[in-house]
Amino acid sequence: MIKFSSIATVVLSLISCRTDFSRKPPETNINTSVIQDTVYIKKWLTKVITGYVNTDDLNLAHENLRTALTEDYYNYKQEAITLEYSEMTEEEFYQKWKAKYDTRYVGSGGFFTSVKDNGYVEVSICKHLKSLGDTAKTFHTVVRDLRWKTDYVMDITVVIKENKLLIDDVKEYK
């Protein structure tokens, strides 16, 4: 009996060491043919937006959002959000990012909305606008804040990079 308990304990210990108990969602590796499937991308984009804005757990929301953005877009947007508190001037920001992004459309609020609304937004429109080669698509998107009856209108560019769908730009319209 003691021998059986020892073996079971060792086996369970080995299994638990190999199991990832984190709450981070699994990364979906995809091939470049997925970029042609606009329905799939719309569902993915809607899930990213509502998952971020509607989540009560701010750390988890930020971690999940971070995995859905390119490194450049994340840094660009973070600098835009914190620009008024940083040492960087608006002109320096423009000079730094003008080659990659149209800084007129960055917005200084949060990602996708001006505030996190914890459960009160939906993606009311997500329409394919154009393809940008074989690895990118742009979607006209409207995020509707149901509590405050506000629409956030944007064009979101999704790319495939390292076999993952990633948001590479969000042009925010006022």
Side-chain angles (χ1 to χ4, degrees), residues 1-15:
M1 182 71 171
I2 294 174
K3 188 176 185 181
F4 178 72
S5 296
S6 298
I7 292 171
T9 302
V10 169
V11 169
L12 289 174
S13 296
L14 290 173
I15 291 171

Short mmCIF file of all heavy atoms in Angstrom, two decimals, residues 1-15:
data_model
loop_
_atom_site.label_atom_id
_atom_site.label_comp_id
_atom_site.label_asym_id
_atom_site.label_seq_id
_atom_site.Cartn_x
_atom_site.Cartn_y
_atom_site.Cartn_z
N MET A 1 0.82 -1.19 0.00
CA MET A 1 0.00 0.00 0.00
C MET A 1 0.87 1.26 0.00
O MET A 1 0.61 2.19 -0.73
CB MET A 1 -0.93 -0.05 1.22
CG MET A 1 -1.86 1.11 1.30
SD MET A 1 -3.10 0.96 0.02
CE MET A 1 -4.16 2.22 0.51
N ILE A 2 1.91 1.26 0.84
CA ILE A 2 2.81 2.42 0.91
C ILE A 2 3.55 2.58 -0.41
O ILE A 2 3.73 3.70 -0.90
CB ILE A 2 3.79 2.28 2.09
CG1 ILE A 2 3.02 2.32 3.41
CG2 ILE A 2 4.85 3.35 2.04
CD1 ILE A 2 3.86 2.04 4.63
N LYS A 3 3.95 1.47 -1.01
CA LYS A 3 4.66 1.50 -2.29
C LYS A 3 3.77 2.10 -3.38
O LYS A 3 4.20 2.92 -4.18
CB LYS A 3 5.09 0.08 -2.67
CG LYS A 3 5.98 0.01 -3.86
CD LYS A 3 6.43 -1.41 -4.09
CE LYS A 3 7.42 -1.47 -5.23
NZ LYS A 3 7.85 -2.84 -5.49
N PHE A 4 2.48 1.71 -3.40
CA PHE A 4 1.51 2.23 -4.37
C PHE A 4 1.33 3.74 -4.19
O PHE A 4 1.29 4.50 -5.15
CB PHE A 4 0.17 1.50 -4.24
CG PHE A 4 -0.87 2.03 -5.18
CD1 PHE A 4 -0.78 1.79 -6.54
CD2 PHE A 4 -1.91 2.82 -4.71
CE1 PHE A 4 -1.73 2.29 -7.41
CE2 PHE A 4 -2.86 3.31 -5.57
CZ PHE A 4 -2.77 3.04 -6.92
N SER A 5 1.23 4.20 -2.94
CA SER A 5 1.07 5.63 -2.65
C SER A 5 2.28 6.42 -3.10
O SER A 5 2.16 7.52 -3.63
CB SER A 5 0.85 5.85 -1.15
OG SER A 5 -0.34 5.25 -0.74
N SER A 6 3.46 5.87 -2.90
CA SER A 6 4.69 6.55 -3.31
C SER A 6 4.76 6.68 -4.83
O SER A 6 5.14 7.73 -5.35
CB SER A 6 5.93 5.78 -2.82
OG SER A 6 5.94 5.73 -1.42
N ILE A 7 4.40 5.62 -5.54
CA ILE A 7 4.42 5.66 -7.00
C ILE A 7 3.40 6.67 -7.51
O ILE A 7 3.69 7.48 -8.39
CB ILE A 7 4.16 4.26 -7.60
CG1 ILE A 7 5.35 3.34 -7.28
CG2 ILE A 7 3.93 4.34 -9.10
CD1 ILE A 7 5.12 1.89 -7.63
N ALA A 8 2.20 6.66 -6.94
CA ALA A 8 1.16 7.61 -7.35
C ALA A 8 1.60 9.04 -7.10
O ALA A 8 1.38 9.93 -7.93
CB ALA A 8 -0.14 7.32 -6.60
N THR A 9 2.25 9.29 -5.98
CA THR A 9 2.73 10.63 -5.66
C THR A 9 3.77 11.09 -6.67
O THR A 9 3.74 12.23 -7.15
CB THR A 9 3.32 10.67 -4.24
OG1 THR A 9 2.31 10.24 -3.32
CG2 THR A 9 3.81 12.05 -3.87
N VAL A 10 4.69 10.21 -7.02
CA VAL A 10 5.74 10.55 -7.99
C VAL A 10 5.13 10.83 -9.35
O VAL A 10 5.46 11.82 -10.02
CB VAL A 10 6.80 9.42 -8.08
CG1 VAL A 10 7.73 9.63 -9.26
CG2 VAL A 10 7.57 9.32 -6.79
N VAL A 11 4.19 10.00 -9.79
CA VAL A 11 3.54 10.18 -11.10
C VAL A 11 2.77 11.50 -11.13
O VAL A 11 2.88 12.28 -12.08
CB VAL A 11 2.63 8.98 -11.44
CG1 VAL A 11 1.76 9.28 -12.64
CG2 VAL A 11 3.46 7.73 -11.67
N LEU A 12 1.99 11.79 -10.10
CA LEU A 12 1.24 13.05 -10.05
C LEU A 12 2.17 14.25 -10.01
O LEU A 12 1.89 15.28 -10.62
CB LEU A 12 0.29 13.05 -8.86
CG LEU A 12 -0.91 12.10 -8.98
CD1 LEU A 12 -1.69 12.09 -7.68
CD2 LEU A 12 -1.80 12.49 -10.14
N SER A 13 3.28 14.13 -9.33
CA SER A 13 4.26 15.23 -9.28
C SER A 13 4.84 15.50 -10.66
O SER A 13 4.99 16.65 -11.07
CB SER A 13 5.40 14.90 -8.31
OG SER A 13 4.90 14.80 -7.01
N LEU A 14 5.16 14.45 -11.38
CA LEU A 14 5.71 14.62 -12.73
C LEU A 14 4.69 15.24 -13.67
O LEU A 14 5.01 16.11 -14.47
CB LEU A 14 6.19 13.27 -13.29
CG LEU A 14 7.43 12.70 -12.62
CD1 LEU A 14 7.70 11.28 -13.14
CD2 LEU A 14 8.63 13.59 -12.86
N ILE A 15 3.45 14.80 -13.57
CA ILE A 15 2.39 15.36 -14.43
C ILE A 15 2.19 16.83 -14.12
O ILE A 15 2.09 17.66 -15.02
CB ILE A 15 1.08 14.57 -14.26
CG1 ILE A 15 1.23 13.17 -14.86
CG2 ILE A 15 -0.09 15.31 -14.90
CD1 ILE A 15 0.07 12.25 -14.55
#
